[in-house]
Amino acid sequence: MSYTYEYPRPSLTVDCVVFGLDDEDLKVLLIKRGVEPFQGRWAMPGGFVRMDESLEDAARRELQEEAGIRPNLMEQLYTFGAPDRDPRGRVVSVAYFALVKLSDHRVHAATDAREAAWFSVYDVPKLAFDHADILATAHQRLKGKVRYQPIGFELLPPKFTLTQLQRMYEKILERELDKRNFRKKLLAMDLLEELDEVEQDVSHRAARLYRFDHKKYKQLEKAGFNFEL
């Protein structure tokens, strides 16, 4: 029979930073809290970890329960454990960040979330707890990682133009990229499959569509290929 020592211990939560992308900006998913503390304040989706679940299972459950989101790409970000980060007591949070295609996810609030919505990462309301710090940390991770791993394709539709691809990187990196050099470098990797299709229902000249070859990237990665922009 196991024995648990009787001394104060912290509680454990998960918080999830979910990024999406539209024609205007890089977005982050927020929920409006329906309960105290910080009732009515915007926050990251998240909650307490149950005794019978892993950290990632808890993160995925909270995203589904609070916003109806099921991300394909999700990874652990950082642990936030400042003693005063939660007014309910000593609470340690393991944060995750995820990328989703906005067109695939219609968010809806549930459980203890009053509302769920997408905000520009550059124009978020005042956040509950230490979630502003969590968002800043996740954004920096995304800006760094998108340059050496092709995770940005998780934000794009399955078929995209080279202009959409460049804008995605520019929105994340917060700087303009030289069109000629950008396309030359990406196409030289031979990871983009040119399709016999063009954009539909656009007012300008329809551009060629491309698709990222995930299978080929995995093969090249095993052979030591480095994706780097």
Side-chain angles (χ1 to χ4, degrees):
M1 180 177 179
S2 61
Y3 178 77
T4 303
Y5 290 95
E6 295 182 1
Y7 61 83
R9 12 179 124 61
S11 298
L12 182 63
T13 62
V14 289
D15 288 301
C16 305
V17 185
V18 183
F19 292 111
L21 186 76
D22 63 13
D23 292 335
E24 298 175 358
D25 227 333
L26 180 66
K27 305 287 189 179
V28 64
L29 175 66
L30 300 178
I31 58 103
K32 182 174 285 188
R33 290 182 57 79
V35 297
E36 294 291 354
F38 302 108
Q39 184 175 5
R41 183 84 65 82
W42 291 97
M44 302 297 169
F48 288 93
V49 179
R50 294 172 179 170
M51 295 296 290
D52 61 347
E53 64 185 353
S54 69
L55 292 173
E56 183 171 330
D57 286 345
R60 291 187 179 277
R61 173 181 55 78
E62 288 290 346
L63 279 178
Q64 175 62 29
E65 290 180 354
E66 292 193 336
I69 291 287
R70 294 177 182 269
N72 291 324
L73 188 151
M74 186 174 75
E75 63 180 51
Q76 197 171 120
L77 173 67
Y78 194 74
T79 300
F80 294 82
D84 59 350
R85 63 173 303 276
D86 192 318
R88 292 170 294 190
R90 186 73 173 94
V91 180
V92 175
S93 181
V94 178
Y96 283 79
F97 92 93
L99 305 180
V100 300
K101 295 175 177 60
L102 286 184
S103 60
D104 293 345
H105 296 275
R106 295 181 179 273
V107 299
H108 61 271
T111 62
D112 58 354
R114 183 186 299 174
E115 188 178 345
W118 293 99
F119 289 81
S120 166
V121 295
Y122 309 110
D123 187 23
V124 296
K126 187 176 182 180
L127 300 179
F129 305 102
D130 56 352
H131 289 189
D133 294 334
I134 296 177
L135 173 58
T137 302
H139 191 196
Q140 284 301 118
R141 172 73 66 85
L142 176 60
K143 289 170 69 174
K145 196 162 188 176
V146 76
R147 301 187 63 180
Y148 64 86
Q149 285 189 13
I151 61 172
F153 291 97
E154 295 293 336
L155 297 168
L156 295 173
K159 301 174 184 179
F160 51 83
T161 67
L162 294 180
T163 297
Q164 287 177 307
L165 181 60
Q166 181 173 337
R167 285 177 180 168
M168 179 268 289
Y169 278 101
E170 290 178 335
K171 289 172 184 177
I172 294 174
L173 298 175
E174 298 182 83
R175 62 183 176 87
E176 291 186 5
L177 301 173
D178 181 80
K179 178 179 177 180
R180 183 173 179 274
N181 290 337
F182 174 80
R183 294 190 176 192
K184 181 179 179 181
K185 194 164 189 176
L186 260 295
L187 293 174
M189 294 182 187
D190 199 26
L191 292 171
L192 299 183
E193 179 186 354
E194 184 176 352
L195 304 175
D196 189 24
E197 300 177 51
V198 296
E199 292 177 289
Q200 299 295 318
D201 302 320
V202 292
S203 57
H204 52 79
R205 181 181 177 183
R208 180 72 59 183
L209 292 174
Y210 290 78
R211 181 164 49 206
F212 180 71
D213 193 334
H214 289 274
K215 183 177 180 180
K216 187 171 185 179
Y217 171 70
K218 291 297 183 183
Q219 293 172 342
L220 290 173
E221 187 181 33
K222 289 180 180 179
F225 171 79
N226 290 319
F227 181 95
E228 185 177 352
L229 285 176

